[in-house]
Amino acid sequence: MSSEFFGNWFLPGIWITVQVTFLSAALAFVIAFPIGVLRTSRLWIVRFLAGAYFEIFRSTSSLVFMFWIAFTVPPLFNISFQPMFAGVLALGITYGAYASEIVRGALAAVPPAQREAGIALNFTPTQRLRRIELPQAWPEMIPPFNNLLIELLKGTSLVSLIAVADMTFAGDLLRLVKNESAPIYTLLLALYFVFAFILTRGMRLLERHAKKRVGQTPEKTSLLGGLRAKSSIDVVSGTGGAK
Amino acid sequence: MNWNWDHVDEFMPLFWDGLELTLKALLFGSLIAFSLGLVWAVAQRSAKKWIRWPVTVVTEFIRNTPLLVQLFFLFYVVPEWGPSMSPLTTGIVGLGLHYSTYTSEVYRAGIEGVPAGQWEAATALSLSKRRTWTSVILPQAVRRVIPALGNYVIVMLKESPQMAAIGALDMLGQAQNYSQTTFTFEAISVVGVAFIVIAYPASLLLRVLERRLVR
C-alpha cells in the first residue's frame, strides 16, 4: 500500500469513521433517554407513540433507511444535505430506537418500592426520575449500551455505500485503483476489531465506575470477556443483540 | 412533494424478484447460522484448550467486525485463493457466518440454562458424551432458544440489503438499479415499507411463540 494513498485516503477515512461513530452515538443517546422515559409513561397515548417509534425502526433495515434519507428525502422535499449528515441521522435515529428499549428496560428493573419511597418523600416525578430511578438504572444500562456501541461502530461501515469517505470507502477505492484486495480488507477487518476492543474496554471502566458509585460490586473481567455479551440472559431475551 | 405512483407500479415486478432473492438468502443464511452456531457453542464448551481458544478468537473476531467488510472480503479476496462465488452465494455465506457467532451465544445461554442436575444424571447413568449431548442437553437447550433464534432471523432480514453492495439483486439492489436507470426515487420507499410489513408481524409472531415455549 503506497504511503501517499494511506495519507490521502486511509487516515482521513479512519477519522471519518471515528466521527460518524461518535456523532451518531451522541444522537442515539439524546433520542434514547426521553423516548425510553416516555415509554414508561402512565398515559397510554404517550406510551403508544414512543413505542411506535421503537417498533418502526426495529422493523426497518438501517441500510434501507439510510438510502431513503440520502436519496429519497432530498428530491421529495426539494432539499439537499451532505451524505455524512444523512448517514449520521439514519444511524442515530435507528440506534436511538434500540437504545430507548435499553433505557426502558433498565427503568422497569428499578424496584417499585424505590418509586413509592420517592412519592412518600413528596418528590415530584422529575425529581424521582433524576434522583432515584435514573441513578439506579444507569449501571444496568451500560453493558447493553456497550453491545449497542459495537453494533453501531460496525454499522458505520454502511455510510461508505452512500459515498461518505470512511475507512471502508477508502478500502473500496484502493481495491479499484490498485486492483488488489487481500491486504486492504484484512487491514480493514483488523482496524474494526481494534476499535471495537478499545470501545469495549472504555465502557468496562465506565461500568466499574458507575457500579462503585451505586455500591454494587464490579465484576471481574477477562481479556476477551470484554467483547462478550455481559450475561446470557441479555442474549436470550433478545435485548443483548440490540436489534 | 413530487411523488409519482406510476414509478411504483413500474417498479413492482422488479420488487417481487428482489423479495424472492432476499427470502432465499434469508432461508439458507439462517440454516448456516443455526447449524454453525451450534457447532461454535459446543466447541466452546470443550475441555480441550486447543479447540476452545481458536473458536473463541475466531467467533469474537467475526462478531466484532462489520458484515459489510466481511462480504467484501468474501467477494473480492476469497476468489484469489479458491472458489469464486456468485453475489447471492457470497451473501448467504456472509450472513450465515456472521450470525452464527450471534446464535452461538444464544445456544451457549440455552446450554447453560439446562439444570446442572441433568448433567449429573447423565453421568450417573454413564451415558457417553455424545448421548449426553444429543439425548439430554441439546433437546432441553434448543427448545428454550427457539424464540431468540427467530429474533436473529429478523435481524438477518434487516441486514440482508448489504448484499446489494456486492451486486446481489435483493430488494434494495433492485430498487437501486431501478432508481439509477430511471432517475426516480420512489423505489427505495417501497422497499422500506416492505421491511416494516414483513418484520413487524414476524416479531409479533415471535412474541406469541416465546410465551408458548419459554415459561
Side-chain angles (χ1 to χ4, degrees):
Chain A
M1 201 189 314
S2 69
S3 59
E4 183 199 343
F5 184 89
F6 201 83
N8 283 345
W9 287 98
F10 222 87
L11 287 179
I14 292 174
W15 174 229
I16 296 226
T17 293
V18 171
Q19 276 179 304
V20 172
T21 306
F22 281 100
L23 287 175
S24 39
L27 179 59
F29 210 67
V30 167
I31 292 174
F33 274 91
I35 297 286
V37 170
L38 289 180
R39 290 188 63 195
T40 62
S41 164
R42 268 180 306 168
L43 293 169
W44 73 268
I45 182 76
V46 174
R47 256 196 340 262
F48 174 80
L49 288 176
Y53 166 69
F54 169 68
E55 292 293 352
I56 286 172
F57 288 99
R58 202 179 61 136
S59 302
T60 35
S61 159
S62 51
L63 181 60
V64 174
F65 183 54
M66 196 182 288
F67 270 45
W68 188 76
I69 291 194
F71 304 131
T72 303
V73 170
L76 190 59
F77 299 102
N78 283 321
I79 43 173
S80 71
F81 40 67
Q82 295 284 321
M84 183 151 150
F85 176 80
V88 168
L89 202 63
L91 288 172
I93 291 176
T94 309
Y95 284 86
Y98 302 140
S100 80
E101 174 69 1
I102 296 173
V103 174
R104 186 197 64 80
L107 283 177
V110 175
Q114 293 290 327
R115 203 174 61 86
E116 286 156 18
I119 297 172
L121 289 170
N122 212 8
F123 276 16
T124 64
T126 329
Q127 276 177 323
R128 280 206 311 266
L129 195 68
R130 205 166 69 82
R131 297 189 176 271
I132 300 176
E133 290 167 41
L134 277 180
Q136 291 185 60
W138 174 236
E140 296 305 313
M141 292 179 208
I142 297 176
F145 272 158
N146 191 4
N147 283 337
L148 195 69
L149 207 54
I150 305 297
E151 291 297 328
L152 177 62
L153 168 70
K154 294 190 294 170
T156 61
S157 64
L158 302 183
V159 299
S160 66
L161 300 177
I162 56 166
V164 178
D166 75 328
M167 58 192 199
T168 305
F169 188 86
D172 224 26
L173 206 63
L174 183 67
R175 175 180 56 79
L176 288 170
V177 174
K178 299 262 162 180
N179 201 18
E180 188 180 33
S181 53
I184 192 72
Y185 287 122
T186 312
L187 176 68
L188 259 184
L189 287 171
L191 273 173
Y192 277 106
F193 185 79
V194 168
F195 281 7
F197 196 80
I198 294 172
L199 272 182
T200 318
R201 300 316 285 183
M203 289 292 278
R204 283 265 142 172
L205 291 179
L206 195 64
E207 185 187 350
R208 281 192 191 186
H209 180 71
K211 285 206 167 155
K212 257 185 213 154
R213 269 185 51 192
V214 189
Q216 295 171 353
T217 36
E219 281 152 58
K220 277 192 183 155
T221 56
S222 67
L223 188 67
L224 268 176
L227 285 170
R228 187 177 286 272
K230 186 207 160 211
S231 75
S232 46
I233 295 117
D234 290 344
V235 178
V236 166
S237 64
T239 52
K243 303 182 260 189
Chain B
M1 288 278 248
N2 28 29
W3 180 271
N4 189 342
W5 283 103
D6 293 343
H7 297 315
V8 176
D9 283 345
E10 216 175 70
F11 171 63
M12 282 321 275
L14 296 168
F15 169 79
W16 294 118
D17 291 347
L19 179 65
E20 195 187 321
L21 194 113
T22 298
L23 293 180
K24 240 186 230 167
L26 195 61
L27 175 69
F28 293 109
S30 350
L31 284 180
I32 295 180
F34 290 174
S35 38
L36 201 57
L38 188 58
V39 173
W40 296 140
V42 174
Q44 276 184 332
R45 290 189 64 92
S46 165
K48 297 183 185 79
K49 246 191 179 156
W50 60 269
I51 296 181
R52 217 167 50 221
W53 265 94
V55 167
T56 309
V57 169
V58 168
T59 50
E60 290 297 329
F61 188 80
I62 296 176
R63 198 207 322 263
N64 287 289
T65 48
L67 174 64
L68 181 65
V69 183
Q70 287 165 7
L71 288 175
F72 284 147
F73 190 90
L74 287 171
F75 195 64
Y76 295 115
V77 180
V78 170
E80 284 182 19
W81 311 317
S84 63
M85 298 179 285
S86 73
L88 174 62
T89 316
T90 311
I92 290 171
V93 173
L95 274 175
L97 197 63
H98 189 80
Y99 283 99
S100 72
T101 63
Y102 286 81
T103 55
S104 90
E105 281 296 289
V106 173
Y107 284 122
R108 188 177 68 96
I111 292 168
E112 279 167 11
V114 176
Q118 297 289 324
W119 289 95
E120 288 157 16
T123 316
L125 291 169
S126 74
L127 294 182
S128 69
K129 219 172 216 175
R130 177 191 288 252
R131 271 305 290 284
T132 308
W133 276 107
T134 55
S135 316
V136 182
I137 306 302
L138 289 181
Q140 296 184 65
V142 167
R143 194 170 145 275
R144 285 187 65 232
V145 301
I146 287 173
L149 290 183
N151 217 357
Y152 278 113
V153 176
I154 300 180
V155 174
M156 286 168 77
L157 166 71
K158 293 183 326 178
E159 302 300 301
S160 65
Q162 294 182 32
M163 291 191 299
I166 49 168
L169 289 175
D170 72 322
M171 286 193 273
L172 183 66
Q174 294 281 9
Q176 228 180 331
N177 263 2
Y178 179 81
S179 307
Q180 277 162 6
T181 47
T182 56
F183 299 103
T184 57
F185 56 84
E186 286 85 353
I188 290 170
S189 308
V190 173
V191 174
V193 172
F195 272 98
I196 302 179
V197 169
I198 302 170
Y200 185 56
S203 68
L204 288 184
L205 204 72
L206 268 176
R207 248 174 254 174
V208 177
L209 195 69
E210 194 160 352
R211 240 172 286 158
R212 289 251 175 106
L213 287 176
V214 187
R215 285 145 305 150

